[in-house]
Amino acid sequence: MIELINFLREYVMTASRTFFLYGLFFSSVAVLFWGMLPIALKLSTHFSDPITLTWLRFFVAAFVLGLWQWHRGKLVQFKALTRKDWGYLLAAGSFLIVNYTTFVWSLSFLLPGSAQLSFQTAPIFLTLGGLFFLKEKINWQQCFFFVFIVVGILIFFHPVFHQNNQSSVWVGFIIVQLSAVAWSMYALLQKSLFSRLDPSNILFAIYIYATFVMLPFSDPSRLLTISTQDSMIALFCCINTLIAYGSFAQAMRYWQTVQVSASIALTPIASYILTEVCVINLWWSDSIYSSHADSFSLFGMLLVIVSAIAIQFISSSVQRKKKVLQTT
């Protein structure tokens, strides 16, 4: 009996470690690609309106995912869905449409770094949603470091609050808040469907729905006349949609929302670093500008990174102890 208990404990610890590593990998990929996205979206404002570009991203993602899921024989999962499940899918798709279009729209008023700063209320909304709607438990240590993430982000982007054109900044901020709430609702609805559908099927259904809904409001013919460089930017936005949201869906599958939220909070750091790389190399210098972060901003970056790592260790430890107790 003792040997069986020891075996089960070892098995649970190994499984927990595997789930943690999967979650870490997928969340890291999502952070990297979402860090690059505001730069590409900022560049896209010169050749496409937000709705048309969003429609293109959904269309390409739906086509690729549809072929992939059909090849894997996974599309049969849709036959078992209830009316309630379909309602959740349609609601998730609607929220994601709002998220995509409003975030691109906000970049007409904000720099990429400023938009990412404003969007970092989304992990807070997501964490609260996991607490109230999904009944996930959050201990005081996680809350403590999550507060430090918020403080670190505000410190990191403190130069933004001293920019000129404050009215434009506030308009952009309000638009991003709408985007953040919509994204959080989409993420919560997606997580609630994991017991019924493969993550790729959830995204495929959302993408195909959004493609048809947005078509009457978009102008795809406009994309036929853009330059080669602009075509590459549009293609990258499409690929980014597939990789970032696919990775995010997988991360939500392996981790609690509080863990994913803490990781996603690193996105503006990634965006800042990538933006500075563009500035140093004089890439798209007419559109991408340096945020001129000072030593205080770098301290905020360090605070965010340390806090996000601390939350992962705390969450992993809590989950491991919980599963060990369940086997005894």
Short mmCIF file of all heavy atoms in Angstrom, two decimals, residues 115-158:
data_model
loop_
_atom_site.label_atom_id
_atom_site.label_comp_id
_atom_site.label_asym_id
_atom_site.label_seq_id
_atom_site.Cartn_x
_atom_site.Cartn_y
_atom_site.Cartn_z
N ALA A 115 -0.28 51.32 -26.34
CA ALA A 115 -1.42 50.43 -26.49
C ALA A 115 -1.26 49.18 -25.63
O ALA A 115 -2.22 48.72 -25.00
CB ALA A 115 -1.60 50.05 -27.96
N GLN A 116 -0.05 48.64 -25.58
CA GLN A 116 0.19 47.46 -24.76
C GLN A 116 0.05 47.77 -23.28
O GLN A 116 -0.45 46.96 -22.51
CB GLN A 116 1.60 46.90 -25.04
CG GLN A 116 1.71 46.12 -26.34
CD GLN A 116 1.01 44.78 -26.27
OE1 GLN A 116 0.18 44.53 -25.42
NE2 GLN A 116 1.34 43.89 -27.19
N LEU A 117 0.48 48.96 -22.88
CA LEU A 117 0.29 49.37 -21.49
C LEU A 117 -1.19 49.40 -21.15
O LEU A 117 -1.63 48.85 -20.14
CB LEU A 117 0.90 50.75 -21.24
CG LEU A 117 0.46 51.46 -19.96
CD1 LEU A 117 0.93 50.69 -18.73
CD2 LEU A 117 0.95 52.89 -19.93
N SER A 118 -1.98 50.03 -21.99
CA SER A 118 -3.41 50.15 -21.74
C SER A 118 -4.09 48.79 -21.71
O SER A 118 -5.04 48.57 -20.94
CB SER A 118 -4.06 51.04 -22.81
OG SER A 118 -3.44 52.30 -22.86
N PHE A 119 -3.60 47.87 -22.53
CA PHE A 119 -4.24 46.55 -22.65
C PHE A 119 -3.93 45.66 -21.46
O PHE A 119 -4.56 44.60 -21.29
CB PHE A 119 -3.78 45.87 -23.94
CG PHE A 119 -4.62 44.68 -24.32
CD1 PHE A 119 -5.88 44.84 -24.89
CD2 PHE A 119 -4.16 43.39 -24.11
CE1 PHE A 119 -6.66 43.75 -25.23
CE2 PHE A 119 -4.94 42.29 -24.46
CZ PHE A 119 -6.19 42.47 -25.02
N GLN A 120 -2.99 46.05 -20.61
CA GLN A 120 -2.61 45.18 -19.50
C GLN A 120 -3.63 45.14 -18.37
O GLN A 120 -3.42 44.49 -17.36
CB GLN A 120 -1.23 45.58 -18.96
CG GLN A 120 -0.10 45.22 -19.90
CD GLN A 120 -0.27 43.84 -20.51
OE1 GLN A 120 -0.29 42.83 -19.80
NE2 GLN A 120 -0.41 43.76 -21.83
N THR A 121 -4.76 45.83 -18.56
CA THR A 121 -5.89 45.59 -17.66
C THR A 121 -6.57 44.25 -17.99
O THR A 121 -7.29 43.70 -17.16
CB THR A 121 -6.92 46.71 -17.77
OG1 THR A 121 -7.29 46.88 -19.15
CG2 THR A 121 -6.37 48.02 -17.24
N ALA A 122 -6.31 43.73 -19.21
CA ALA A 122 -6.94 42.47 -19.63
C ALA A 122 -6.58 41.29 -18.72
O ALA A 122 -7.47 40.52 -18.34
CB ALA A 122 -6.57 42.16 -21.09
N PRO A 123 -5.29 41.09 -18.35
CA PRO A 123 -4.99 40.01 -17.41
C PRO A 123 -5.71 40.15 -16.07
O PRO A 123 -6.07 39.14 -15.45
CB PRO A 123 -3.47 40.11 -17.23
CG PRO A 123 -2.97 40.74 -18.48
CD PRO A 123 -4.05 41.72 -18.86
N ILE A 124 -5.95 41.40 -15.64
CA ILE A 124 -6.69 41.60 -14.40
C ILE A 124 -8.14 41.16 -14.59
O ILE A 124 -8.71 40.45 -13.75
CB ILE A 124 -6.62 43.08 -13.98
CG1 ILE A 124 -5.17 43.51 -13.75
CG2 ILE A 124 -7.46 43.32 -12.72
CD1 ILE A 124 -5.01 44.97 -13.47
N PHE A 125 -8.76 41.58 -15.69
CA PHE A 125 -10.13 41.15 -15.99
C PHE A 125 -10.21 39.62 -16.10
O PHE A 125 -11.16 39.00 -15.63
CB PHE A 125 -10.62 41.78 -17.30
CG PHE A 125 -10.72 43.28 -17.27
CD1 PHE A 125 -10.42 44.03 -18.40
CD2 PHE A 125 -11.11 43.93 -16.12
CE1 PHE A 125 -10.51 45.41 -18.38
CE2 PHE A 125 -11.21 45.32 -16.08
CZ PHE A 125 -10.91 46.06 -17.21
N LEU A 126 -9.19 39.02 -16.74
CA LEU A 126 -9.18 37.57 -16.92
C LEU A 126 -9.07 36.85 -15.58
O LEU A 126 -9.76 35.86 -15.33
CB LEU A 126 -8.03 37.17 -17.84
CG LEU A 126 -7.88 35.67 -18.13
CD1 LEU A 126 -9.14 35.12 -18.78
CD2 LEU A 126 -6.67 35.43 -19.04
N THR A 127 -8.20 37.35 -14.71
CA THR A 127 -8.03 36.74 -13.40
C THR A 127 -9.32 36.83 -12.58
O THR A 127 -9.74 35.86 -11.93
CB THR A 127 -6.88 37.41 -12.64
OG1 THR A 127 -5.67 37.25 -13.38
CG2 THR A 127 -6.69 36.79 -11.26
N LEU A 128 -9.94 38.01 -12.60
CA LEU A 128 -11.20 38.18 -11.87
C LEU A 128 -12.29 37.29 -12.45
O LEU A 128 -13.13 36.74 -11.71
CB LEU A 128 -11.62 39.65 -11.91
CG LEU A 128 -10.73 40.63 -11.15
CD1 LEU A 128 -11.19 42.07 -11.37
CD2 LEU A 128 -10.72 40.31 -9.66
N GLY A 129 -12.28 37.14 -13.77
CA GLY A 129 -13.26 36.26 -14.41
C GLY A 129 -13.07 34.81 -14.00
O GLY A 129 -14.04 34.09 -13.76
N GLY A 130 -11.80 34.38 -13.92
CA GLY A 130 -11.52 33.02 -13.47
C GLY A 130 -11.96 32.81 -12.04
O GLY A 130 -12.42 31.72 -11.67
N LEU A 131 -11.85 33.87 -11.23
CA LEU A 131 -12.24 33.78 -9.83
C LEU A 131 -13.76 33.70 -9.66
O LEU A 131 -14.28 32.86 -8.92
CB LEU A 131 -11.69 34.99 -9.07
CG LEU A 131 -12.03 35.10 -7.58
CD1 LEU A 131 -11.39 33.94 -6.80
CD2 LEU A 131 -11.54 36.44 -7.03
N PHE A 132 -14.50 34.55 -10.39
CA PHE A 132 -15.94 34.66 -10.18
C PHE A 132 -16.76 33.71 -11.06
O PHE A 132 -17.80 33.21 -10.63
CB PHE A 132 -16.40 36.10 -10.41
CG PHE A 132 -15.90 37.06 -9.37
CD1 PHE A 132 -14.92 37.99 -9.67
CD2 PHE A 132 -16.42 37.03 -8.08
CE1 PHE A 132 -14.46 38.87 -8.71
CE2 PHE A 132 -15.97 37.91 -7.11
CZ PHE A 132 -14.99 38.84 -7.42
N PHE A 133 -16.31 33.50 -12.31
CA PHE A 133 -17.11 32.70 -13.24
C PHE A 133 -16.67 31.23 -13.29
O PHE A 133 -17.50 30.33 -13.42
CB PHE A 133 -17.06 33.30 -14.64
CG PHE A 133 -17.67 34.67 -14.72
CD1 PHE A 133 -16.89 35.78 -15.00
CD2 PHE A 133 -19.02 34.86 -14.51
CE1 PHE A 133 -17.43 37.05 -15.07
CE2 PHE A 133 -19.59 36.13 -14.58
CZ PHE A 133 -18.79 37.22 -14.85
N LEU A 134 -15.37 30.98 -13.24
CA LEU A 134 -14.88 29.62 -13.30
C LEU A 134 -14.60 29.03 -11.93
O LEU A 134 -14.18 27.88 -11.81
CB LEU A 134 -13.60 29.56 -14.17
CG LEU A 134 -13.75 30.05 -15.61
CD1 LEU A 134 -12.42 29.93 -16.34
CD2 LEU A 134 -14.84 29.29 -16.34
N LYS A 135 -14.79 29.85 -10.89
CA LYS A 135 -14.64 29.40 -9.50
C LYS A 135 -13.23 28.89 -9.19
O LYS A 135 -13.04 27.98 -8.38
CB LYS A 135 -15.66 28.31 -9.17
CG LYS A 135 -17.10 28.68 -9.47
CD LYS A 135 -17.53 29.95 -8.75
CE LYS A 135 -18.99 30.30 -9.08
NZ LYS A 135 -19.41 31.58 -8.45
N GLU A 136 -12.22 29.48 -9.85
CA GLU A 136 -10.84 29.13 -9.55
C GLU A 136 -10.40 29.85 -8.27
O GLU A 136 -10.83 30.97 -8.00
CB GLU A 136 -9.91 29.50 -10.71
CG GLU A 136 -10.18 28.71 -11.98
CD GLU A 136 -9.22 29.06 -13.09
OE1 GLU A 136 -8.48 30.06 -12.96
OE2 GLU A 136 -9.18 28.33 -14.09
N LYS A 137 -9.55 29.21 -7.52
CA LYS A 137 -9.09 29.78 -6.26
C LYS A 137 -7.76 30.50 -6.44
O LYS A 137 -6.87 30.02 -7.14
CB LYS A 137 -8.96 28.69 -5.20
CG LYS A 137 -10.29 28.04 -4.81
CD LYS A 137 -10.10 27.01 -3.72
CE LYS A 137 -11.45 26.41 -3.32
NZ LYS A 137 -11.31 25.38 -2.25
N ILE A 138 -7.64 31.65 -5.81
CA ILE A 138 -6.42 32.45 -5.86
C ILE A 138 -5.98 32.72 -4.43
O ILE A 138 -6.76 33.25 -3.63
CB ILE A 138 -6.65 33.78 -6.59
CG1 ILE A 138 -7.18 33.53 -8.01
CG2 ILE A 138 -5.35 34.59 -6.66
CD1 ILE A 138 -7.54 34.80 -8.75
N ASN A 139 -4.75 32.34 -4.08
CA ASN A 139 -4.30 32.57 -2.71
C ASN A 139 -3.67 33.96 -2.57
O ASN A 139 -3.46 34.67 -3.56
CB ASN A 139 -3.33 31.48 -2.25
CG ASN A 139 -2.08 31.41 -3.10
OD1 ASN A 139 -1.59 32.44 -3.59
ND2 ASN A 139 -1.54 30.22 -3.30
N TRP A 140 -3.37 34.34 -1.35
CA TRP A 140 -2.91 35.71 -1.09
C TRP A 140 -1.55 35.99 -1.71
O TRP A 140 -1.25 37.12 -2.11
CB TRP A 140 -2.87 35.98 0.41
CG TRP A 140 -1.80 35.23 1.16
CD1 TRP A 140 -1.90 34.02 1.76
CD2 TRP A 140 -0.45 35.68 1.37
NE1 TRP A 140 -0.71 33.65 2.33
CE2 TRP A 140 0.21 34.67 2.12
CE3 TRP A 140 0.27 36.82 1.02
CZ2 TRP A 140 1.54 34.76 2.49
CZ3 TRP A 140 1.59 36.92 1.41
CH2 TRP A 140 2.21 35.91 2.14
N GLN A 141 -0.68 34.94 -1.83
CA GLN A 141 0.63 35.17 -2.45
C GLN A 141 0.49 35.54 -3.92
O GLN A 141 1.19 36.43 -4.43
CB GLN A 141 1.52 33.93 -2.32
CG GLN A 141 1.91 33.59 -0.88
CD GLN A 141 1.15 32.39 -0.38
OE1 GLN A 141 -0.04 32.23 -0.68
NE2 GLN A 141 1.82 31.53 0.38
N GLN A 142 -0.44 34.86 -4.63
CA GLN A 142 -0.66 35.17 -6.04
C GLN A 142 -1.19 36.59 -6.19
O GLN A 142 -0.75 37.35 -7.06
CB GLN A 142 -1.63 34.16 -6.64
CG GLN A 142 -1.07 32.75 -6.77
CD GLN A 142 -2.12 31.74 -7.15
OE1 GLN A 142 -3.24 31.78 -6.65
NE2 GLN A 142 -1.77 30.83 -8.04
N CYS A 143 -2.14 36.97 -5.34
CA CYS A 143 -2.69 38.33 -5.37
C CYS A 143 -1.60 39.37 -5.10
O CYS A 143 -1.54 40.42 -5.74
CB CYS A 143 -3.81 38.47 -4.35
SG CYS A 143 -5.30 37.53 -4.72
N PHE A 144 -0.73 39.06 -4.13
CA PHE A 144 0.34 39.97 -3.75
C PHE A 144 1.26 40.27 -4.94
O PHE A 144 1.54 41.44 -5.24
CB PHE A 144 1.15 39.34 -2.61
CG PHE A 144 2.33 40.16 -2.16
CD1 PHE A 144 2.16 41.25 -1.32
CD2 PHE A 144 3.60 39.83 -2.58
CE1 PHE A 144 3.25 42.00 -0.90
CE2 PHE A 144 4.70 40.58 -2.17
CZ PHE A 144 4.52 41.67 -1.33
N PHE A 145 1.69 39.23 -5.64
CA PHE A 145 2.60 39.43 -6.76
C PHE A 145 1.87 39.98 -7.99
O PHE A 145 2.49 40.66 -8.82
CB PHE A 145 3.32 38.13 -7.11
CG PHE A 145 4.45 37.81 -6.16
CD1 PHE A 145 4.33 36.80 -5.23
CD2 PHE A 145 5.62 38.54 -6.19
CE1 PHE A 145 5.36 36.51 -4.34
CE2 PHE A 145 6.67 38.26 -5.32
CZ PHE A 145 6.53 37.25 -4.38
N PHE A 146 0.57 39.71 -8.09
CA PHE A 146 -0.18 40.27 -9.21
C PHE A 146 -0.27 41.79 -9.07
O PHE A 146 -0.20 42.52 -10.07
CB PHE A 146 -1.58 39.65 -9.28
CG PHE A 146 -2.08 39.50 -10.68
CD1 PHE A 146 -1.95 38.30 -11.35
CD2 PHE A 146 -2.66 40.57 -11.35
CE1 PHE A 146 -2.39 38.17 -12.65
CE2 PHE A 146 -3.10 40.45 -12.64
CZ PHE A 146 -2.98 39.25 -13.30
N VAL A 147 -0.43 42.26 -7.85
CA VAL A 147 -0.42 43.71 -7.61
C VAL A 147 0.92 44.31 -8.03
O VAL A 147 0.98 45.38 -8.63
CB VAL A 147 -0.71 44.01 -6.12
CG1 VAL A 147 -0.46 45.49 -5.81
CG2 VAL A 147 -2.15 43.64 -5.78
N PHE A 148 2.00 43.58 -7.73
CA PHE A 148 3.33 44.07 -8.12
C PHE A 148 3.50 44.08 -9.64
O PHE A 148 4.24 44.92 -10.18
CB PHE A 148 4.42 43.21 -7.47
CG PHE A 148 4.84 43.71 -6.12
CD1 PHE A 148 4.32 43.14 -4.97
CD2 PHE A 148 5.73 44.75 -6.01
CE1 PHE A 148 4.70 43.61 -3.71
CE2 PHE A 148 6.12 45.23 -4.77
CZ PHE A 148 5.60 44.66 -3.62
N ILE A 149 2.84 43.16 -10.34
CA ILE A 149 2.88 43.19 -11.81
C ILE A 149 2.25 44.47 -12.32
O ILE A 149 2.80 45.15 -13.20
CB ILE A 149 2.15 41.95 -12.39
CG1 ILE A 149 3.02 40.71 -12.22
CG2 ILE A 149 1.83 42.17 -13.87
CD1 ILE A 149 2.38 39.44 -12.75
N VAL A 150 1.10 44.82 -11.78
CA VAL A 150 0.41 46.05 -12.19
C VAL A 150 1.27 47.27 -11.89
O VAL A 150 1.44 48.16 -12.73
CB VAL A 150 -0.96 46.17 -11.49
CG1 VAL A 150 -1.64 47.49 -11.85
CG2 VAL A 150 -1.86 45.00 -11.88
N VAL A 151 1.83 47.31 -10.69
CA VAL A 151 2.70 48.43 -10.30
C VAL A 151 3.92 48.50 -11.22
O VAL A 151 4.31 49.59 -11.68
CB VAL A 151 3.15 48.29 -8.83
CG1 VAL A 151 4.20 49.34 -8.48
CG2 VAL A 151 1.96 48.40 -7.90
N GLY A 152 4.52 47.35 -11.51
CA GLY A 152 5.69 47.31 -12.38
C GLY A 152 5.39 47.81 -13.78
O GLY A 152 6.19 48.52 -14.39
N ILE A 153 4.21 47.44 -14.31
CA ILE A 153 3.82 47.90 -15.65
C ILE A 153 3.65 49.42 -15.67
O ILE A 153 4.09 50.10 -16.61
CB ILE A 153 2.52 47.20 -16.09
CG1 ILE A 153 2.80 45.71 -16.38
CG2 ILE A 153 1.93 47.85 -17.34
CD1 ILE A 153 1.56 44.89 -16.61
N LEU A 154 3.01 49.96 -14.63
CA LEU A 154 2.82 51.41 -14.56
C LEU A 154 4.16 52.13 -14.46
O LEU A 154 4.36 53.18 -15.09
CB LEU A 154 1.94 51.76 -13.35
CG LEU A 154 0.49 51.28 -13.42
CD1 LEU A 154 -0.24 51.59 -12.12
CD2 LEU A 154 -0.23 51.93 -14.60
N ILE A 155 5.10 51.57 -13.67
CA ILE A 155 6.44 52.16 -13.58
C ILE A 155 7.16 52.06 -14.91
O ILE A 155 7.79 53.02 -15.38
CB ILE A 155 7.26 51.46 -12.48
CG1 ILE A 155 6.66 51.75 -11.09
CG2 ILE A 155 8.72 51.91 -12.52
CD1 ILE A 155 7.32 50.98 -9.97
N PHE A 156 7.04 50.91 -15.55
CA PHE A 156 7.74 50.67 -16.81
C PHE A 156 7.34 51.67 -17.88
O PHE A 156 8.16 52.16 -18.65
CB PHE A 156 7.44 49.24 -17.27
CG PHE A 156 8.05 48.88 -18.59
CD1 PHE A 156 9.42 48.83 -18.76
CD2 PHE A 156 7.26 48.58 -19.68
CE1 PHE A 156 10.00 48.50 -19.97
CE2 PHE A 156 7.82 48.23 -20.90
CZ PHE A 156 9.19 48.19 -21.03
N PHE A 157 6.06 52.02 -17.93
CA PHE A 157 5.56 52.92 -18.97
C PHE A 157 5.27 54.33 -18.44
O PHE A 157 4.49 55.05 -19.05
CB PHE A 157 4.29 52.34 -19.59
CG PHE A 157 4.56 51.23 -20.57
CD1 PHE A 157 4.23 49.93 -20.24
CD2 PHE A 157 5.15 51.47 -21.79
CE1 PHE A 157 4.46 48.90 -21.13
CE2 PHE A 157 5.39 50.45 -22.68
CZ PHE A 157 5.05 49.16 -22.35
N HIS A 158 5.90 54.71 -17.34
CA HIS A 158 5.60 56.03 -16.79
C HIS A 158 5.89 57.17 -17.76
O HIS A 158 5.22 58.23 -17.67
CB HIS A 158 6.34 56.24 -15.45
CG HIS A 158 7.79 56.57 -15.59
ND1 HIS A 158 8.25 57.86 -15.62
CD2 HIS A 158 8.88 55.77 -15.71
CE1 HIS A 158 9.56 57.85 -15.75
NE2 HIS A 158 9.98 56.60 -15.79
#
